[in-house]
Amino acid sequence: MKIEVWSDFVCPFCYIGKRRLEEAIQQFPHKEQIEVEFKSFELDPNAPKNSKMTIHEALASKYGMSIDQAKQANAGVGEQAATVGLTFNFEDMKPTNTFDAHRLAKYAKTVGKDKEITEKLLYGYFTESKNLSDYETLADIAESVGITRDEALEVLQDESAFSHDVRVEEEIARQYQITGVPYFIINQKYAISGAQPFETFQSALQKVWEEEAKTPMFQDLSSEEDTTCSDDGCSIPAKNE
């Protein structure tokens, strides 16, 4: 079973949804047969790298609410995060552009570190209040998952490096009409939108497993004549006399 997850590193529900999915997978009897792949999605491709606004001001500006309302909304999100063991530090959070972080994650995938760096980037932003567009900060995060600083900085300083990979995944999201994240696609047939409750992920995994197990990989359109070969040899029909 393959689960593709479109998400952004500054999306709080992406982190919450990730934890709920992970919990569901951990309790799934066939967890060893599940592959999770993270895909790039930018909530705000035009976001500045160094915003002068706090996260509360950014939210208030985006949705036309007061700062107090924004703080209340963020507090509510923080409470949801706490239910899955996450700590969100909204007071020091740094709104930023995530394109370079996505490029780095695509590079990390080539060396088998994409899942580790995805977790570190989310934790860095929401808990440690790191600026995910700062190259040195991103290099620190890369180094923490076993990628050398030189490798990370080489990728980051070449603005074309892995840019195409990010854009391709964003284009696929548009083709799928994905307008919000997190968005989960299972076996390219089943979709879950948003940070759904643990029970929703649990039920979805079981349903997909059962339905896929009942469906043959191919519809057999061959004739009844047995002209196949196996380890025991080939079955050749007798000629009509």
Side-chain angles (χ1 to χ4, degrees):
M1 186 186 303
K2 183 173 183 179
I3 305 175
E4 297 169 291
V5 186
W6 270 265
S7 64
D8 197 3
F9 302 116
V10 295
C11 164
F13 289 109
C14 291
Y15 204 3
I16 294 170
K18 179 177 182 290
R19 276 293 184 275
R20 290 174 178 168
L21 172 63
E22 289 169 344
E23 183 181 357
I25 290 174
Q26 187 60 36
Q27 297 187 31
F28 188 60
H30 310 286
K31 61 185 178 183
E32 294 84 4
Q33 298 183 53
I34 295 179
E35 175 190 356
V36 179
E37 182 177 347
F38 291 94
K39 303 288 189 177
S40 298
F41 190 100
E42 293 174 273
L43 286 173
D44 185 2
N46 298 313
K49 289 188 174 184
N50 296 292
S51 175
K52 295 183 179 179
M53 290 192 291
T54 67
I55 195 67
H56 303 307
E57 292 169 340
L59 186 67
S61 175
K62 183 175 182 178
Y63 293 105
M65 59 176 68
S66 69
I67 297 297
D68 285 341
Q69 288 173 323
K71 287 183 177 181
Q72 290 175 11
N74 284 330
V77 174
E79 289 172 2
Q80 289 194 51
T83 66
V84 290
L86 300 175
T87 300
F88 285 3
N89 181 13
F90 284 106
E91 294 308 313
D92 298 318
M93 215 169 278
K94 297 176 177 61
T96 190
N97 188 289
T98 57
F99 185 65
D100 288 327
H102 281 293
R103 289 198 300 116
L104 182 61
K106 294 304 106 180
Y107 168 71
K109 182 180 178 182
T110 68
V111 293
K113 297 290 185 179
D114 49 320
K115 294 179 180 61
E116 292 89 340
I117 205 165
T118 293
E119 173 65 26
K120 289 290 187 177
L121 287 165
L122 287 163
Y123 182 80
Y125 180 77
F126 285 104
T127 303
E128 298 181 319
S129 304
K130 292 185 176 180
N131 182 349
L132 296 190
S133 62
D134 179 76
Y135 286 179
E136 293 297 328
T137 298
L138 290 173
D140 287 340
I141 293 173
E143 196 170 31
S144 73
V145 301
I147 299 172
T148 69
R149 294 186 65 83
D150 288 344
E151 290 174 345
L153 289 170
E154 183 178 357
V155 169
L156 293 167
Q157 289 165 359
D158 179 359
E159 295 183 358
S160 65
F162 297 92
S163 294
H164 179 70
D165 301 69
V166 175
R167 295 306 184 208
V168 166
E169 292 184 354
E170 291 178 335
E171 177 57 30
I172 292 172
R174 282 189 285 272
Q175 292 176 9
Y176 284 157
Q177 298 182 351
I178 298 173
T179 57
V181 287
Y183 198 91
F184 309 82
I185 295 181
I186 307 176
N187 285 357
Q188 297 187 334
K189 292 173 61 177
Y190 310 86
I192 299 174
S193 177
Q196 297 293 327
F198 158 78
E199 292 80 11
T200 299
F201 288 112
Q202 187 179 48
S203 175
L205 293 178
Q206 188 61 39
K207 180 179 180 179
V208 172
W209 183 267
E210 292 174 356
E211 290 187 359
E212 295 285 276
K214 289 188 296 185
T215 304
M217 184 176 296
F218 302 110
Q219 182 179 356
D220 190 352
L221 299 178
S222 55
S223 67
E224 294 183 2
E225 189 175 83
D226 190 0
T227 54
T228 60
C229 295
S230 66
D231 290 343
D232 296 324
C234 297
S235 176
I236 304 174
K239 293 182 180 179
N240 294 327
E241 297 295 339

